[in-house]
Amino acid sequence: MKKLIGYLGLGAIVVAGSLFGYKIATDSEFRGRLTRGAQDMYKESKRKVDSVTEDVALKTAQMTKNPKVNQDWVSNQWDMIGY
């Protein structure tokens, strides 16, 4: 019985994915809305990152052990003042 439920669930997921893929492939308006939504999310997240303070950027770089966070923040600050 559990296998049958598993197969039905898997089948439902495959059908839903196929329908979603078909919708994306055939509906340009839907593709445009998805693209605009993704671009809006990217812009919003970039805006939030741009507004962080130096302390937050430094702590984030230390916590994630990723110096690129701090480097990007410094680069952004130089860009904001025109260099």
Side-chain angles (χ1 to χ4, degrees):
M1 185 66 166
K2 285 185 180 183
K3 281 188 176 184
L4 178 62
I5 292 172
Y7 290 137
L8 289 175
L10 180 62
I13 291 170
V14 169
V15 168
S18 298
L19 291 174
F20 186 72
Y22 177 77
K23 180 78 170 170
I24 288 174
T26 59
D27 191 346
S28 62
E29 183 180 332
F30 183 66
R31 268 193 318 270
R33 281 187 305 206
L34 286 177
T35 303
R36 283 189 302 276
Q39 289 170 343
D40 290 345
M41 284 190 292
Y42 173 76
K43 287 177 187 174
E44 179 66 20
S45 107
K46 179 129 176 76
R47 184 187 63 75
K48 287 182 180 180
V49 168
D50 289 345
S51 68
V52 300
T53 64
E54 183 179 9
D55 291 336
V56 172
L58 183 60
K59 288 203 184 288
T60 303
Q62 289 172 342
M63 286 177 55
T64 60
K65 295 183 170 93
N66 182 2
K68 185 153 178 29
V69 172
N70 220 25
Q71 293 165 356
D72 289 345
W73 184 86
V74 170
S75 175
N76 184 42
Q77 296 304 309
W78 282 110
D79 289 345
M80 287 175 63
I81 61 172
Y83 282 99

